[in-house]
């Protein structure tokens, strides 16, 4: 089972585009994702995606967000491995700049 992370641009920032994390988790579960977790009120979601690709899930999730909440948001989905690599590269760059 592949772990993926969904990142939304602009939700739960200020008063516009507010989404309760319980509603977001419920939406992900309705899409068939498992072990759905959110981080505080960030709008970031970690979930088990099965065999579906991150790109395909980003489209499905963005469409479902509009359908379930009426809110459109840029949606990025990364695999846990891709996120680990991005974090390691950023840390390496920061250490190299010192």
């Amino acid at each position: 089972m592949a772990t993926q992370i969904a990142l939304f641009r602009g939700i739960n920032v200020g008063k516009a585009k507010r989404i309760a994390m319980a509603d977001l988790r419920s939406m992900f579960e309705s899409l068939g994702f498992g072990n759905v977790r959110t981080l505080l009120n960030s709008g970031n979601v970690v979930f088990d995606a099965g065999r579906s690709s991150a790109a395909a899930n980003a489209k499905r999730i963005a469409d479902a967000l509009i359908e379930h909440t009426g809110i459109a948001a840029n949606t990025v989905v990364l695999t846990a491995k891709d996120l680990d690599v991005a974090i390691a590269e950023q840390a390496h760059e920061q250490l190299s700049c010192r």
Side-chain angles (χ1 to χ4, degrees), residues 8 27-28 31 56-69 71-77:
F8 298 95
M27 183 192 83
F28 273 71
L31 292 170
N57 287 337
K59 171 82 170 109
R60 285 181 62 216
I61 293 165
D63 290 346
L65 187 65
I66 293 168
E67 182 180 323
H68 285 83
T69 67
I71 294 173
N74 290 338
T75 305
V76 175
V77 175

Side-chain angles (χ1 to χ4, degrees), residues 7-90:
L7 308 168
F8 298 95
R9 179 159 176 107
I11 67 168
N12 293 355
V13 176
K15 294 181 182 181
K17 296 187 177 185
R18 303 295 295 174
I19 302 172
M21 293 301 95
D23 294 340
L24 199 55
R25 285 190 300 273
S26 177
M27 183 192 83
F28 273 71
E29 290 166 351
S30 75
L31 292 170
F33 298 123
N35 198 22
V36 179
R37 297 137 1 247
T38 55
L39 176 62
L40 302 172
N41 204 32
S42 68
N44 299 327
V45 182
V46 178
F47 59 98
D48 292 337
R51 298 183 185 269
S52 52
S53 74
N57 287 337
K59 171 82 170 109
R60 285 181 62 216
I61 293 165
D63 290 346
L65 187 65
I66 293 168
E67 182 180 323
H68 285 83
T69 67
I71 294 173
N74 290 338
T75 305
V76 175
V77 175
L78 302 169
T79 65
K81 182 179 177 182
D82 289 340
L83 185 59
D84 286 343
V85 168
I87 291 168
E89 287 175 357
Q90 183 65 29

